[in-house]
Amino acid sequence: MYGRIIPYVPESLLFIIDNVQDTKGRCRPIMQVRIIAVGKIKEKYLQEGIAEYEKRLRPYTRVQVVEIPEEKRPLAASPSIERIAMEKEGERILAAIPEGSVVVALAIVGEEWSSVALAEALSQWEMAGRNQITFLIGGDLGLSPAVYGRADLRLSLSRMTFTHPMARLLLFEQIYRAFRILRGEPYHK
């Protein structure tokens, strides 16, 4: 049940747990996942897909999506105007990252991991007491150098190019798959 407090933990270390249980049936602190993305999802089919994975993830984790407004610019903007827009988006992204969070920036040139590797990383972060993970998805201009500098990891979903809204759906699916792997539940290989 949400909001139940573990009674034997000193008051200075209280944390909220929910009904997520490990493989031995014990309640454990829930990992909090935040996805910070530039822009809104306009396509209905992507909205529906993301909503489905949000629903599927509820037994495993809390997922919060923070949408950063795209910086307005002319269609034929110069490179300097695009750079300024990317930097402004980057400032808003950095302001939305929770203190102490593990920060994973999605990047075309990032590390390519398997689903199992993502699950193992989530487990390692959780065991290290880092229960707050933030994934970053840039807009059509990408992420600013300052945002990349703040990231603990640059992760690539694929060497292929996807739209940023599609990347958000793929990220949701991979997070869901990772939690299924961690719980020892079946998933499609």
Side-chain angles (χ1 to χ4, degrees):
M1 174 169 154
Y2 286 98
R4 195 163 49 112
I5 306 231
I6 298 176
Y8 56 84
V9 175
E11 189 169 317
S12 63
L13 298 175
L14 287 179
F15 55 91
I16 298 173
I17 63 169
D18 70 1
N19 62 355
V20 175
Q21 297 181 345
D22 64 15
T23 56
K24 295 182 175 145
R26 298 174 301 207
C27 286
R28 61 173 176 77
I30 190 166
M31 181 171 280
Q32 296 178 26
V33 175
R34 178 179 280 203
I35 298 172
I36 301 173
V38 175
K40 293 188 176 288
I41 303 291
K42 297 174 183 99
E43 299 85 355
K44 187 171 176 61
Y45 72 96
L46 291 174
Q47 292 171 353
E48 290 170 353
I50 289 167
E52 176 63 26
Y53 282 108
E54 282 180 308
K55 183 176 83 177
R56 290 182 185 191
L57 277 162
R58 284 186 198 129
Y60 306 104
T61 187
R62 293 186 191 131
V63 178
Q64 178 188 27
V65 176
V66 177
E67 291 183 332
I68 303 296
E70 292 177 284
E71 188 66 26
K72 296 193 186 317
R73 63 187 192 280
L75 277 176
S78 69
S80 64
I81 290 175
E82 286 185 345
R83 182 183 47 75
I84 291 168
M86 181 175 45
E87 289 171 358
K88 286 181 179 179
E89 291 171 354
E91 289 169 7
R92 291 194 292 265
I93 290 170
L94 291 170
I97 298 171
E99 190 69 34
S101 182
V102 175
V103 178
V104 180
L106 296 190
I108 294 170
V109 295
E111 294 181 33
E112 290 184 27
W113 285 3
S114 67
S115 300
V116 172
L118 177 60
E120 290 171 352
L122 291 174
S123 177
Q124 289 172 1
W125 290 327
E126 186 176 37
M127 288 184 351
R130 299 190 73 190
N131 288 348
Q132 200 165 56
I133 312 299
T134 301
F135 290 93
L136 308 176
I137 303 173
D140 63 339
L141 296 173
L143 294 168
S144 71
V147 171
Y148 281 128
R150 171 62 182 87
D152 297 299
L153 169 70
R154 293 183 192 188
L155 184 65
S156 175
L157 293 174
S158 170
R159 291 168 68 177
M160 294 180 177
T161 302
F162 300 108
T163 63
H164 292 87
M166 182 66 73
R168 194 182 313 183
L169 174 62
L170 293 172
L171 177 61
F172 263 97
E173 191 279 335
Q174 285 300 301
I175 294 168
Y176 171 70
R177 186 178 296 258
F179 278 100
R180 301 240 344 151
I181 292 167
L182 288 174
R183 294 271 298 261
E185 297 173 353
Y187 68 98
H188 297 290
K189 295 182 180 184

